[in-house]
Amino acid sequence: MITVEVGKLGPDRRSDLLKVQGDRLMGVNENVVEITDQNFAETIEGSTGLTMVDFWAEWCGPCRMVAPIVEALADEYSEDDGVTVGKLDVDQNPDITVRFAVRSIPSVLFFKDGKHVDTVVGAVPRPTLEAKLKEHL
């Protein structure tokens, strides 16, 4: 992972650090884990507790709308409730994307003790994602 500072505003119009994922830029948040085809088994299937994974792509406008919500939930729930929050770029990680039949993005998948338990598809408001988090805690 390479972290670079991109001017005052990154491509998502926020003034954050960005990290290179393949040939793409992804916002940096210490509470959001980068999920890939290579680390999925260890990071998700080998975990205990609740994990929320945002399936996204750089070119996806609705994904950019959901990203700040996912990051805010990561900040709030990773410390207090031990929830793991991750992001998986569908263009860079086709194996996991196909495995879970993700055909529309953004899709947020929920895993409990390594098993897929729920999915939310589309750009939904924070209360919708937060309700799903609370439902599975």
Side-chain angles (χ1 to χ4, degrees), residues 54-106:
D54 175 19
F55 285 67
W56 71 286
E58 181 182 355
W59 49 264
C60 170
C63 297
R64 291 177 188 222
M65 293 168 44
V66 169
I69 297 168
V70 169
E71 291 176 12
L73 291 172
D75 291 340
E76 185 173 334
Y77 285 88
S78 65
E79 294 177 13
D80 298 336
D81 299 300
V83 173
T84 300
V85 177
K87 292 179 72 76
L88 183 139
D89 183 332
V90 297
D91 291 331
Q92 300 294 315
N93 301 285
D95 295 343
I96 298 302
T97 302
V98 169
R99 178 174 164 194
F100 288 97
V102 174
R103 292 185 176 92
S104 297
I105 55 174

Side-chain angles (χ1 to χ4, degrees), residues 21-75:
Q21 179 186 11
D23 61 349
R24 310 208 185 282
L25 296 174
M26 183 172 116
V28 174
N29 180 320
E30 64 185 29
N31 293 319
V32 178
V33 178
E34 180 183 342
I35 307 297
T36 65
D37 286 344
Q38 292 73 35
N39 72 7
F40 184 85
E42 177 185 341
T43 307
I44 305 300
E45 295 173 326
S47 70
T48 57
L50 183 62
T51 304
M52 179 175 87
V53 181
D54 175 19
F55 285 67
W56 71 286
E58 181 182 355
W59 49 264
C60 170
C63 297
R64 291 177 188 222
M65 293 168 44
V66 169
I69 297 168
V70 169
E71 291 176 12
L73 291 172
D75 291 340

Side-chain angles (χ1 to χ4, degrees), residues 124-136:
V124 296
R126 179 185 169 127
T128 302
L129 290 178
E130 194 163 19
K132 285 294 181 186
L133 273 174
K134 289 179 179 178
E135 178 183 332
H136 295 293

